[in-house]
Coordinates of all heavy atoms in Angstrom, one line a residue:
K22 N 5.5 0.9 1.1 CA 5.2 -0.4 0.7 C 4.7 -0.5 -0.8 O 5.2 -1.2 -1.6 CB 4.1 -1.1 1.5 CG 3.5 -2.3 1.0 CD 2.5 -3.0 2.0 CE 1.1 -2.5 1.7 NZ 0.4 -3.0 0.6
N23 N 3.7 0.4 -1.1 CA 3.1 0.3 -2.4 C 3.9 0.9 -3.6 O 3.6 0.9 -4.7 CB 1.7 0.9 -2.4 CG 0.8 0.0 -1.6 OD1 1.1 -1.1 -1.3 ND2 -0.4 0.4 -1.3
L26 N 7.1 -2.3 -3.8 CA 6.8 -3.6 -4.5 C 6.7 -3.5 -6.0 O 7.4 -4.4 -6.6 CB 5.4 -4.0 -4.0 CG 5.3 -4.4 -2.5 CD1 3.9 -4.7 -2.1 CD2 6.2 -5.5 -2.0
R92 N -1.3 -10.1 -3.2 CA -1.9 -9.8 -4.4 C -1.0 -9.0 -5.3 O -1.0 -9.2 -6.5 CB -3.2 -9.1 -4.3 CG -4.2 -9.7 -3.5 CD -5.5 -8.9 -3.4 NE -5.8 -8.5 -4.7 CZ -6.6 -9.2 -5.5 NH1 -7.1 -10.3 -5.1 NH2 -6.9 -8.7 -6.8
A93 N -0.2 -8.2 -4.7 CA 0.8 -7.4 -5.5 C 1.7 -8.2 -6.3 O 2.4 -7.7 -7.3 CB 1.6 -6.4 -4.6
L96 N 2.2 -7.9 -10.0 CA 3.1 -6.8 -10.7 C 4.2 -7.4 -11.4 O 4.9 -6.7 -12.2 CB 3.7 -5.9 -9.6 CG 2.6 -4.9 -9.0 CD1 3.1 -4.4 -7.7 CD2 2.3 -3.8 -10.0
I118 N -11.0 -7.4 1.4 CA -11.7 -6.1 1.2 C -12.5 -5.9 -0.1 O -13.1 -5.0 -0.3 CB -10.6 -4.9 1.2 CG1 -9.6 -5.0 0.1 CG2 -9.9 -4.8 2.5 CD1 -8.6 -3.9 0.1
A120 N -13.6 -8.1 -4.2 CA -13.3 -9.2 -5.1 C -12.0 -8.8 -5.9 O -11.2 -9.8 -6.2 CB -14.4 -9.2 -6.3
R121 N -11.6 -7.7 -6.1 CA -10.5 -7.2 -6.7 C -10.0 -7.9 -8.0 O -8.9 -8.6 -7.9 CB -9.3 -7.2 -5.6 CG -9.8 -6.3 -4.4 CD -8.6 -6.3 -3.5 NE -7.4 -5.4 -3.8 CZ -6.4 -5.2 -3.1 NH1 -6.2 -5.9 -2.0 NH2 -5.5 -4.4 -3.5
P122 N -10.7 -7.9 -9.0 CA -10.4 -8.5 -10.3 C -9.1 -7.9 -10.9 O -8.7 -6.8 -10.5 CB -11.5 -8.3 -11.2 CG -12.3 -7.1 -10.7 CD -12.0 -7.0 -9.2
V123 N -8.5 -8.6 -11.9 CA -7.3 -8.0 -12.5 C -7.6 -8.0 -14.1 O -6.6 -8.0 -14.8 CB -6.0 -8.8 -12.3 CG1 -5.5 -8.5 -10.8 CG2 -6.2 -10.3 -12.5
N124 N -8.9 -7.9 -14.4 CA -9.3 -8.0 -15.8 C -8.6 -6.8 -16.7 O -8.2 -6.9 -17.8 CB -10.8 -7.9 -16.0 CG -11.4 -6.8 -15.2 OD1 -11.1 -6.4 -14.1 ND2 -12.3 -6.0 -16.0
L125 N -8.5 -5.7 -16.0 CA -8.0 -4.6 -16.7 C -6.4 -4.7 -17.0 O -5.9 -4.3 -18.2 CB -8.2 -3.2 -16.0 CG -9.7 -2.9 -15.7 CD1 -9.8 -1.8 -14.7 CD2 -10.4 -2.6 -17.0
H126 N -5.7 -5.4 -16.2 CA -4.3 -5.7 -16.5 C -4.2 -6.6 -17.7 O -3.4 -6.4 -18.5 CB -3.6 -6.5 -15.3 CG -3.7 -5.9 -13.9 ND1 -2.7 -5.8 -13.1 CD2 -4.7 -5.3 -13.2 CE1 -3.0 -5.2 -12.0 NE2 -4.3 -4.9 -12.0
I160 N -11.7 1.9 -14.9 CA -11.5 2.3 -13.6 C -10.0 2.7 -13.5 O -9.2 1.9 -14.0 CB -11.9 1.1 -12.5 CG1 -13.3 0.7 -12.7 CG2 -11.6 1.6 -11.1 CD1 -13.5 -0.6 -12.0
P161 N -9.7 3.7 -12.8 CA -8.3 4.0 -12.7 C -7.6 3.0 -11.6 O -7.8 3.2 -10.5 CB -8.1 5.5 -12.1 CG -9.6 5.8 -11.6 CD -10.5 4.8 -12.2
T162 N -7.0 2.0 -12.1 CA -6.4 1.0 -11.3 C -5.0 1.2 -11.0 O -4.2 1.5 -12.0 CB -6.6 -0.4 -11.9 OG1 -5.6 -1.3 -11.4 CG2 -6.6 -0.4 -13.4
V163 N -4.6 1.2 -9.7 CA -3.2 1.5 -9.4 C -2.1 0.5 -9.9 O -1.3 0.7 -10.8 CB -3.0 1.6 -7.9 CG1 -1.5 1.8 -7.5 CG2 -4.0 2.7 -7.3
T164 N -2.3 -0.7 -9.6 CA -1.4 -1.8 -10.0 C -1.6 -2.1 -11.5 O -0.6 -2.5 -12.2 CB -1.4 -3.1 -9.1 OG1 -2.8 -3.5 -9.1 CG2 -0.8 -3.0 -7.9
G165 N -2.7 -2.0 -12.0 CA -3.0 -2.1 -13.5 C -2.2 -1.0 -14.3 O -1.5 -1.4 -15.2
E167 N 0.5 0.4 -13.2 CA 1.8 0.1 -13.1 C 2.3 -1.1 -13.9 O 3.3 -1.0 -14.6 CB 2.1 -0.3 -11.6 CG 2.0 1.0 -10.7 CD 1.9 0.7 -9.1 OE1 1.7 -0.5 -8.8 OE2 2.1 1.6 -8.5
E188 N -1.8 7.9 -8.4 CA -1.2 7.8 -7.1 C 0.4 8.0 -7.1 O 1.0 7.7 -8.0 CB -1.4 6.3 -6.5 CG -2.6 6.1 -5.8 CD -3.9 6.3 -6.5 OE1 -3.9 6.4 -7.8 OE2 -4.9 6.3 -5.9
T304 N -8.4 5.4 0.2 CA -9.1 4.2 0.9 C -8.2 3.6 2.0 O -8.7 3.0 2.9 CB -9.6 3.1 -0.2 OG1 -10.1 2.0 0.6 CG2 -8.4 2.7 -1.0
D305 N -6.9 3.6 1.7 CA -6.0 3.1 2.7 C -5.9 3.8 4.1 O -5.2 3.3 4.9 CB -4.6 2.9 2.1 CG -4.6 1.9 1.0 OD1 -5.5 1.0 0.9 OD2 -3.5 1.8 0.2
I327 N -14.0 2.8 -3.2 CA -13.1 2.0 -4.0 C -13.2 0.5 -3.9 O -13.3 -0.3 -4.9 CB -11.6 2.3 -3.5 CG1 -11.4 3.9 -3.5 CG2 -10.5 1.7 -4.5 CD1 -11.4 4.6 -5.0
F328 N -13.4 0.0 -2.6 CA -13.6 -1.4 -2.4 C -14.9 -1.7 -1.9 O -15.4 -0.9 -1.0 CB -12.5 -2.0 -1.6 CG -11.2 -2.0 -2.3 CD1 -10.2 -1.1 -1.8 CD2 -10.8 -2.7 -3.4 CE1 -9.0 -1.0 -2.4 CE2 -9.6 -2.6 -4.0 CZ -8.6 -1.7 -3.5
E329 N -15.6 -2.9 -2.3 CA -17.0 -3.1 -1.8 C -17.1 -3.6 -0.5 O -18.2 -3.7 0.0 CB -17.6 -4.0 -3.0 CG -17.2 -5.4 -3.1 CD -15.9 -5.5 -4.1 OE1 -15.3 -4.4 -4.3 OE2 -15.6 -6.6 -4.5
R331 N -14.9 -2.9 2.3 CA -13.7 -2.5 3.2 C -14.2 -2.0 4.6 O -13.8 -1.0 5.0 CB -12.9 -1.5 2.5 CG -11.4 -1.5 3.0 CD -10.5 -0.8 2.2 NE -9.1 -1.3 2.5 CZ -8.0 -0.8 2.1 NH1 -8.0 0.2 1.2 NH2 -6.8 -1.2 2.4
L370 N -4.8 -5.4 6.4 CA -3.7 -4.5 6.8 C -4.2 -3.2 7.6 O -3.8 -2.9 8.6 CB -2.8 -4.2 5.7 CG -1.8 -3.1 5.8 CD1 -0.8 -3.4 7.0 CD2 -1.0 -3.0 4.5
R371 N -5.0 -2.4 6.8 CA -5.4 -1.1 7.3 C -6.5 -1.3 8.4 O -6.5 -0.5 9.3 CB -5.9 -0.2 6.2 CG -5.0 -0.2 5.0 CD -3.6 0.4 5.3 NE -2.7 0.2 4.2 CZ -1.4 0.4 4.2 NH1 -0.8 0.9 5.4 NH2 -0.7 0.3 3.3
Ligands
EPU1 N1 -10.4 -3.0 -10.4 C1 -11.1 -3.7 -11.4 N2 -10.4 -4.4 -12.4 C2 -9.0 -4.5 -12.4 C3 -8.3 -3.8 -11.5 C4 -9.0 -3.1 -10.5 O1 -12.3 -3.8 -11.4 O2 -8.4 -5.0 -13.3 C5 -11.1 -2.3 -9.4 C6 -10.8 -2.9 -8.0 O3 -11.7 -4.0 -7.7 C7 -11.2 -1.7 -7.2 C8 -10.6 -0.5 -8.0 O4 -10.6 -1.0 -9.4 O5 -12.5 -1.6 -6.9 C9 -9.4 0.0 -7.6 O6 -8.4 -1.1 -7.5 P1 -6.9 -0.9 -7.8 O7 -6.5 -1.7 -8.9 O8 -6.4 0.5 -8.0 O9 -6.2 -1.5 -6.5 P2 -4.9 -2.3 -6.5 O10 -3.9 -1.9 -7.4 O11 -5.1 -3.8 -6.4 C10 -3.6 -0.7 -4.9 C11 -2.9 -0.8 -3.5 C12 -4.0 -1.1 -2.4 C13 -4.8 0.3 -2.4 C14 -5.5 0.4 -3.9 C15 -6.4 1.6 -4.0 C16 -0.7 -1.8 -4.1 C17 0.2 -3.0 -4.0 N3 -1.9 -1.9 -3.5 O12 -4.3 -1.8 -5.0 O13 -3.2 -1.0 -1.2 O14 -5.9 0.1 -1.5 O15 -4.4 0.4 -4.9 O16 -5.6 2.8 -3.7 O17 -0.3 -0.7 -4.6 C18 -3.0 -1.5 1.2 O18 -1.8 -1.0 1.0 O19 -3.5 -1.8 2.2 C19 -3.7 -1.7 -0.1 C20 -4.7 -2.5 -0.2

Side-chain angles (χ1 to χ4, degrees):
K22 167 179 87 75
N23 289 347
L26 296 174
R92 302 179 52 84
L96 287 163
I118 63 177
R121 304 183 74 182
V123 289
N124 56 311
L125 300 172
H126 305 227
I160 305 172
T162 156
V163 175
T164 49
E167 292 167 344
E188 269 64 7
T304 172
D305 290 346
I327 307 293
F328 293 113
E329 65 275 17
R331 210 171 198 183
L370 171 57
R371 309 302 169 187

